[in-house]
Amino acid sequence: MVIATGFFDGVHLGHRFVLGQLVDAARERGDWSMVVTFWPHPRNVLQDDARNLRLLTTMEEKKRLLTEIGVNYIQVIPFCKDFSRLTTEEYLRDCIMDRFGGRTVLLGYDNRIGSDLCNPEQTAEIARRLGLEVIMAESCKGQDGVVISSTKIRSMIASGRIEEANAMLGYEYRLHGVVVAGNRLGRTLGFPTANMQLYEPLKLIPAAGVYLVKVETLGRNLYGMCNIGVRPTVGTGNAMTVETNIFGFDEDIYGLDISLSFIRKIRDEVRFPNLESLSAQLARDRETCLGIIGG
């Protein structure tokens, strides 16, 4: 078994570059490839600024993306405080070798394994001493020469730079949830909305604003415009909402699945003086989105 280990949040282009080397190495050796990952995120267990951590991918999304790369097996280790105390040597010996049958380990440029936080070179030395073959993966950089990382992508999404984030992810950032009842004000304005409640509460929500999105619901692929924010013109509190006006669609989907893929940010969230001004702006937003789709 050829194994790579890490959290791989987002399974972005940097991860794909490394894991492509994993899959290739396994094929060259006539062996199987495996990713060993963790849940929950170590920061949630170790309380390392955990209240501010939001994730790019749910576990199901991560598994799907890893499978698309060609990884044969995915093992998820429950991350707990006892597990966090394993040293690098203990983790490699007890988990990678004894538990999962690893014979080769692939290390990324920033892999830090074990409670002793060994760097990749130190980990490689320990692995070879245990009898593991070691492959040192190359890093992947974006077009600007900056190393692609989950941290950078989270920062981009949190600030609304969705196109830059998508470029590093290699796909359009997604939210997945269930449609819940709203105040139905959008319908009175001529823009009925599907209000989303996320299935994964730790999933990162893009910055407040209006976005062009692809919508998947009822087995159909559509377009729409999504507003994220506190609805300052009509909101009665500070609760964050994710509501989408689906173009050419007016069916009852309360209680059903909905997925949003974010394409482009159209504008920031704005407080309007009255509902007429809000409705006029929504009409302009829709025209902007339709122009992008048509163009």
Side-chain angles (χ1 to χ4, degrees):
M1 194 75 68
V2 183
I3 298 178
T5 183
F7 196 76
F8 300 113
D9 188 28
V11 194
H12 53 62
L13 289 179
H15 293 144
R16 292 181 183 203
F17 183 74
V18 169
L19 295 174
Q21 296 172 63
L22 172 77
V23 172
D24 290 344
R27 288 173 179 163
E28 289 168 3
R29 289 159 176 75
D31 209 340
W32 300 104
S33 59
M34 177 185 285
V35 164
V36 178
T37 189
F38 317 105
W39 192 266
H41 195 287
R43 281 170 58 182
N44 290 119
V45 175
L46 302 176
Q47 298 181 348
D48 180 14
D49 196 29
R51 65 172 56 87
N52 295 319
L53 176 65
R54 291 297 178 269
L55 301 176
L56 300 173
T57 41
T58 65
M59 182 52 68
E60 289 307 309
E61 288 172 330
K62 186 188 299 186
K63 287 180 178 179
R64 175 179 55 81
L65 290 165
L66 291 172
T67 300
E68 289 174 358
I69 293 170
V71 175
N72 298 120
Y73 296 102
I74 302 162
Q75 294 289 344
V76 182
I77 295 179
F79 195 93
C80 61
K81 288 194 175 181
D82 284 344
F83 178 79
S84 74
R85 296 187 184 101
L86 291 179
T87 64
T88 302
E89 182 168 344
E90 289 169 337
Y91 176 72
L92 291 173
R93 183 188 63 235
D94 299 346
C95 292
I96 298 300
M97 297 178 71
D98 295 347
R99 182 173 174 182
F100 299 125
R103 295 184 293 186
T104 304
V105 62
L106 182 141
L107 300 176
Y109 77 96
D110 61 347
N111 255 153
R112 289 191 176 271
I113 299 172
S115 59
D116 41 353
L117 295 176
C118 290
N119 63 36
E121 290 73 24
Q122 294 168 326
T123 300
E125 183 179 346
I126 295 169
R128 293 188 182 103
R129 189 171 71 241
L130 290 171
L132 283 165
E133 179 187 6
V134 176
I135 302 172
M136 302 296 288
E138 300 175 29
S139 63
C140 178
K141 297 182 179 180
Q143 293 181 346
D144 57 1
V146 176
V147 173
I148 297 172
S149 75
S150 301
T151 299
K152 291 187 180 74
I153 295 170
R154 289 191 201 105
S155 177
M156 290 173 179
I157 293 172
S159 59
R161 296 153 57 197
I162 202 71
E163 291 180 90
E164 294 176 66
N166 288 345
M168 283 196 170
L169 285 168
Y171 58 89
E172 290 158 351
Y173 186 67
R174 299 185 73 189
L175 296 181
H176 185 206
V178 62
V179 179
V180 296
N183 61 11
R184 294 183 175 268
L185 180 61
R187 185 171 296 277
T188 67
L189 295 174
F191 295 89
T193 59
N195 294 271
M196 172 189 278
Q197 179 178 305
L198 298 183
Y199 286 132
E200 173 52 69
L202 289 179
K203 178 88 172 182
L204 177 62
I205 298 176
V210 177
Y211 296 83
L212 170 62
V213 295
K214 292 178 183 175
V215 184
E216 293 181 34
T217 190
L218 292 178
R220 295 160 63 181
N221 297 306
L222 305 153
Y223 285 97
M225 57 182 184
C226 173
N227 183 82
I228 296 175
V230 296
R231 300 184 300 179
T233 304
V234 299
T236 57
N238 293 321
M240 178 73 72
T241 62
V242 180
E243 52 184 350
T244 304
N245 172 244
I246 307 173
F247 302 147
F249 182 89
D250 191 19
E251 297 182 35
D252 184 358
I253 53 174
Y254 290 124
L256 301 183
D257 274 8
I258 186 170
S259 291
L260 305 178
S261 298
F262 287 77
I263 301 172
R264 184 182 302 182
K265 186 177 182 183
I266 303 302
R267 63 172 174 85
D268 291 335
E269 188 175 43
V270 177
R271 181 183 179 89
F272 294 94
N274 50 56
L275 294 182
E276 290 75 15
S277 298
L278 171 59
S279 180
Q281 182 60 57
L282 292 174
R284 289 192 291 270
D285 294 339
R286 181 170 56 189
E287 290 305 310
T288 299
C289 290
L290 293 174
I292 294 169
I293 297 167

